Amino acid sequence: QVQLVESGGGSVQAGESLRLSCAASGYSLNTHLTAWFRQAPGKEREGVGFIYTRPFYADGVKGRFTISQDNAKNTVYLQMNSLKPEDTAMYYCATMADGGPWDLPRTYKYWGQGTPVTVSS
């Protein structure tokens, strides 16, 4: 059974950093793409980036966010630097894409429960 568990969220000041983790079970990171999404209050869920052999990022986070994975721990990380108040959101990881666009939530079959990130100015 596939399970995803996010952790590492919290409250920080603008300019600070956070590292989120997505602990995966029931599948290997080498066989399936794992994506990060976020959803701010009142907004649609949006893709942050994904990793499958190499990472890919949405334009809004390029240069500030880094996605990596530890195959031994079967865990994907989202390192977020130079955080801004507009990065405030619930962050989710997802996997088992059906071949659709990477940044559409409906592409993914499995989701974690999310971890909250709040960035204050």
Side-chain angles (χ1 to χ4, degrees), residues 7-102:
S7 62
S11 297
V12 297
Q13 297 290 316
E16 294 184 341
S17 300
L18 276 176
R19 189 179 78 158
L20 307 184
S21 299
C22 171
S25 60
Y27 76 103
S28 170
L29 297 180
N30 290 325
T31 60
H32 292 280
L33 176 159
T34 303
W36 283 98
F37 281 77
R38 65 185 180 184
Q39 188 166 19
K43 294 189 177 181
E44 294 186 353
R45 195 168 295 191
E46 66 173 357
V48 173
F50 68 86
I51 188 164
Y52 183 56
T53 70
R54 62 184 179 88
F56 181 87
Y57 304 97
D59 287 343
V61 304
K62 280 181 183 176
R64 298 191 299 124
F65 290 10
T66 302
I67 299 173
S68 61
Q69 66 183 52
D70 183 331
N71 291 334
K73 295 181 178 180
N74 220 42
T75 298
V76 175
Y77 301 99
L78 177 64
Q79 177 68 44
M80 305 185 295
N81 298 329
S82 302
L83 282 162
K84 305 175 181 179
E86 50 263 45
D87 294 318
T88 294
M90 185 71 80
Y91 283 72
Y92 302 88
C93 57
T95 194
M96 298 296 168
D98 64 3
W102 78 267

